[in-house]
Amino acid sequence: MALVGSGSAVPAVSLSNQRLSERVDTNDEWIRTRTGIAARRVSAPDEPLTVLATRAAQAALDHAGWSPEDLDLILLATSSPDDLFGTAPRIQAALGARNAVAFDLTAACSGFLFALITAGQYLATGTMGRALVIGADQLSRWVDWDDRSTCVLFGDGAGAVAVQACPAAEGGLLGFRMRSDGSRNGCLTLAQSDTHRELLAGVSAQVGGFAPIRMNGQEVYKFAVREVPAILKELLEATGTPADQLDWLLLHQANQRILDAVAERFAIPQQRVLSNLASYGNTSAATIPLMLDEAVKDGRVQPGHLLASSGFGAGLSWGGALLRWSGPQA
């Protein structure tokens, strides 16, 4: 599987820490020192997930030089679909990708990496030739905007990567690892609301809906700084890749302190750690492709560059992938 194109899209509205402090008891210094976040994007009513994801997807197609009809597969990694029955088919229709099968994959902040690995398996079998992997989330829908422990963290966005089958020697997915631990699921949830209504005497049904995001921040932080270095160490050893051969560290953008801790563990200089957390916050499944597209388009990531990537979060789930960028520059 070769990674040959990237694209991204974010809402027009940027909500700064200072503006957010007009609603909740917080301030710019408190947020920055604990998270590294300075602002986040918030979707307007005319910017549903389908619109953002389609914009990112079209940009990736354009970057790869593909027609939508070239696609065999569209995978949408999201935890905030426009339709619980599936949003990927809407994107397929909006793109005009009439030959592609399209479906959603849910793994929260690990979602894009899990979807990229899944797409790689279809391409490796030879049953499909070209795929579009999209990570997109709008967690502004599900944040309690009066809870300062969570509302400061999350933002909206979308990113996409175009991938195609290729000879093994030219592959861009050089190795991967995936993990889940449902025993720690309660650390970060977007759970169904526990509301029921009586239909008939003795018969009740649950009312559809979800409660706001709930997170045990300390436990999630401890989980990330322990498990992410461990899975990347395992991956690098399995592929025989010394850390000093990496061009970039591309992690899920959750907290700057997590990025710094992982980089320190592998003695990777800060200038080789990709981070746009300050501008966008945690966009869940969108963070990795959004960051990758930014770094490709500004020239930091060049063809042939080697990237160690990790996604981690709700589930709890986490994974790592060793990637080589093959696509063109902007």
Side-chain angles (χ1 to χ4, degrees):
M1 180 180 77
L3 287 70
V4 297
S6 65
S8 61
V10 294
V13 174
S14 179
L15 180 61
S16 69
N17 292 343
Q18 186 59 43
R19 286 296 309 276
L20 190 55
S21 70
E22 297 173 16
R23 181 179 180 93
V24 294
D25 182 17
T26 189
N27 58 67
D28 181 65
E29 181 183 8
W30 189 91
I31 299 171
R32 283 179 185 263
T33 56
R34 287 162 177 79
T35 68
I37 298 168
R40 70 285 299 145
R41 298 298 178 102
V42 178
S43 298
D46 62 349
E47 293 176 312
L49 189 83
T50 301
V51 168
L52 287 180
T54 301
R55 283 169 47 198
Q58 185 62 61
L61 289 176
D62 293 344
H63 191 216
W66 294 356
S67 163
E69 295 187 353
D70 294 334
L71 287 171
D72 301 306
L73 172 67
I74 298 172
L75 277 181
L76 172 66
T78 187
S79 299
S80 50
D82 289 336
D83 185 337
L84 286 178
F85 285 168
T87 294
R90 294 187 180 189
I91 298 166
Q92 181 234 25
L95 290 172
R98 61 186 181 88
N99 298 316
V101 62
F103 60 91
D104 294 10
L105 183 152
T106 300
C109 299
S110 304
F112 174 79
L113 204 64
F114 281 21
L116 185 67
I117 293 166
T118 299
Q121 310 317 298
Y122 283 101
L123 300 184
T125 66
T127 58
M128 295 182 177
R130 288 181 168 179
L132 198 60
V133 183
I134 308 165
D137 268 306
Q138 288 185 329
L139 294 185
S140 64
R141 297 173 175 178
W142 302 110
V143 166
D144 179 352
W145 286 100
D146 295 316
D147 176 12
R148 73 169 187 173
S149 68
T150 56
C151 75
V152 303
L153 301 175
F154 297 102
D156 302 339
V161 172
V163 295
Q164 65 183 14
C166 68
E170 301 171 13
L173 179 60
L174 306 183
F176 64 87
R177 293 290 186 275
M178 303 165 72
R179 299 282 189 275
S180 296
D181 182 1
S183 70
R184 293 186 277 181
N185 174 262
C187 293
L188 180 52
T189 62
L190 204 175
Q192 290 192 56
S193 56
D194 189 20
T195 304
H196 294 74
R197 63 183 173 188
E198 187 175 28
L199 302 181
L200 300 165
V203 180
S204 63
Q206 186 171 355
V207 178
F210 294 86
I213 294 170
R214 292 288 178 258
M215 182 174 69
N216 183 327
Q218 289 186 341
E219 288 302 313
V220 172
Y221 176 82
K222 289 191 291 185
F223 147 74
V225 297
R226 179 175 60 251
E227 301 293 359
V228 173
I231 203 167
L232 287 179
K233 180 176 183 292
E234 179 184 336
L235 177 62
L236 294 178
E237 289 178 349
T239 56
T241 307
D244 60 9
Q245 289 188 6
L246 297 173
D247 293 293
W248 301 103
L249 187 62
L250 174 59
L251 303 181
H252 167 52
Q253 308 284 297
N255 186 303
Q256 189 62 44
R257 292 187 298 165
I258 296 174
L259 274 62
D260 294 343
V262 176
E264 182 179 357
R265 169 65 179 78
F266 293 101
I268 296 175
Q270 284 299 316
Q271 60 267 28
R272 285 164 50 199
V273 179
L274 295 172
S275 175
N276 60 6
L277 184 67
S279 299
Y280 302 111
N282 182 348
T283 57
S284 193
T287 68
I288 290 175
L290 181 61
M291 181 68 258
L292 177 61
D293 183 53
E294 181 178 306
V296 167
K297 298 300 171 54
D298 68 20
R300 279 176 289 174
V301 172
Q302 298 280 332
H305 275 187
L306 194 63
L307 304 93
S309 185
S310 180
F312 50 90
L316 293 175
S317 62
W318 66 106
L322 187 63
L323 307 172
R324 190 178 301 280
W325 177 251
S326 303
Q329 294 307 113

